[in-house]
Amino acid sequence: MRELVLGLDIGGTSSRGPVGPRGGRVLGSGSAGGGNPNSHPPEQAVAQVGAAARAALDGLDGAAVRSAVLGMAGVSAMTDPRVAGLFEDGWKSLGLDCPVRVVSDCEVAFAAGTGAADGTVLIAGTGAIAARIEDRREVAVAGGHGWLLGDEGSAFWLGREAVRHALRTTDRDEVPGTGLARAVLEQVLGDTAGDPPALRKRLITAVNGAAPIRLAELAPLVTADCAAGGAGSGIVARAAAELADTAVRARRDTGPVVLAGGLTADGNPVGTALRAELAARLPGVPLPAAGPGAAGAAWLAALDLTGEPPRYPEI
């Protein structure tokens, strides 16, 4: 029987996983909705992860999977016996009889960006976190404190700074005609009708009445305004400095700094500024971009099976 490996990258909005022979081409890949038990009821999370894995295994024998890795943020949720039991039942329903190793999203992102055993990974998306990796295991973290306590430089942080910029504009008794402040008012309120005091009250009420994480939806307004040379440029520069601070706090003087998450992508002004900031602080240190997290998880699963770094699966 051919030995297969399964990698799963589980997020709050999507779950994805490839399956294939160790170091070989992918034989199947599946995707489903968010499967993180930290952000969804455990039963729902298990159902989504199972759907992604079942799609990947379509036409394949689950018993042939000899190694599996599941990567997700907040792995401590799996220490809850009830949650762990639900996932264990889910694996059995798929015909898996191999161990499924659960690792942090930082370990998966690092593996998706480099074959090195040691280094640092910085993830900047809705939130922001950095981790020091030694022997491909997370040994220390910086950031990742959540929207209330931190996540400096993240999409949430960018959105909050955009709202603060708009509020400072109305504090000066101005109704913005262009730029970032007007874009914020239009997206949050739908219009800019009213005098500055009225707009200020409406904006505060609307933002406080919504889920805090919704502020992350305003991040594209900041990056677009930055590209146009507006006030967003200053916010982006500060975001890059904050993210670099987070990476440096996690780092020891060895290995690359892998960059993961939407804000670090090529063409994103935050990613461009971040690379410049890190290059100035850490001259000569490689700054590779992470590939798909599911590929990193599958790579780790193959490494668990063979002990030798395999090729990255193409997914």
Side-chain angles (χ1 to χ4, degrees):
M1 179 185 295
R2 180 167 45 174
E3 293 183 326
L4 303 179
V5 297
L6 171 66
L8 291 162
D9 181 37
I10 306 306
T13 58
S14 66
S15 305
R16 191 177 183 209
V19 63
R22 58 190 188 188
R25 67 182 181 85
V26 170
L27 298 179
S29 184
S31 61
N36 192 314
N38 293 286
S39 51
H40 299 283
E43 293 84 357
Q44 179 182 337
V46 170
Q48 293 298 332
V49 173
R54 190 169 290 105
L57 290 165
D58 186 32
L60 301 171
D61 182 3
V65 177
R66 305 314 306 155
S67 179
V69 166
L70 181 152
M72 71 177 192
V75 294
S76 59
M78 300 297 283
T79 63
D80 182 328
R82 176 173 174 269
V83 175
L86 287 170
F87 272 93
E88 185 66 27
D89 290 342
W91 306 141
K92 291 178 181 177
S93 73
L94 294 168
L96 299 180
D97 56 14
C98 69
V100 179
R101 184 162 70 93
V102 182
V103 305
S104 77
D105 57 339
C106 288
E107 290 181 24
V108 164
F110 185 79
T114 179
D118 306 316
T120 309
V121 59
L122 173 67
I123 303 177
T126 301
I129 189 172
R132 182 164 72 248
I133 305 295
E134 295 179 2
D135 195 23
R136 301 186 178 89
R137 302 295 177 96
E138 177 185 294
V139 297
V141 298
H145 303 146
W147 64 266
L148 183 62
L149 300 176
D151 280 352
E152 294 88 353
S154 67
F156 166 83
W157 184 93
L158 290 170
R160 188 192 64 180
E161 293 304 300
V163 172
R164 294 178 68 187
H165 169 72
L167 288 171
R168 285 192 291 269
T169 301
T170 58
D171 287 347
R172 295 193 298 268
D173 203 33
E174 298 176 12
V175 175
T178 59
L180 179 60
R182 185 176 183 87
V184 168
L185 291 171
E186 289 179 343
Q187 180 157 326
V188 175
L189 303 179
D191 61 65
T192 56
D195 57 20
L199 287 171
R200 178 179 181 277
K201 292 176 182 177
R202 288 177 61 200
L203 182 57
I204 292 172
T205 299
V207 170
N208 284 326
I213 204 64
R214 293 287 302 276
L215 285 171
E217 298 173 5
L218 302 178
L221 302 182
V222 179
T223 53
D225 192 68
C226 173
S233 300
I235 298 175
V236 164
R238 288 191 288 120
E242 293 282 4
L243 291 170
D245 285 345
T246 302
V248 169
R249 288 201 307 275
R251 181 175 173 77
R252 283 185 179 168
D253 295 331
T254 183
V257 177
V258 174
L259 302 179
L263 290 181
T264 72
D266 288 339
N268 189 301
V270 175
T272 300
L274 173 61
R275 284 175 173 78
E277 186 78 22
L278 287 172
R281 298 192 195 193
L282 304 170
V285 173
L287 303 173
W299 189 86
L300 287 173
L303 183 64
D304 286 348
L305 187 64
T306 66
E308 296 292 334
R311 292 191 304 108
Y312 283 104
E314 297 179 3
I315 63 174

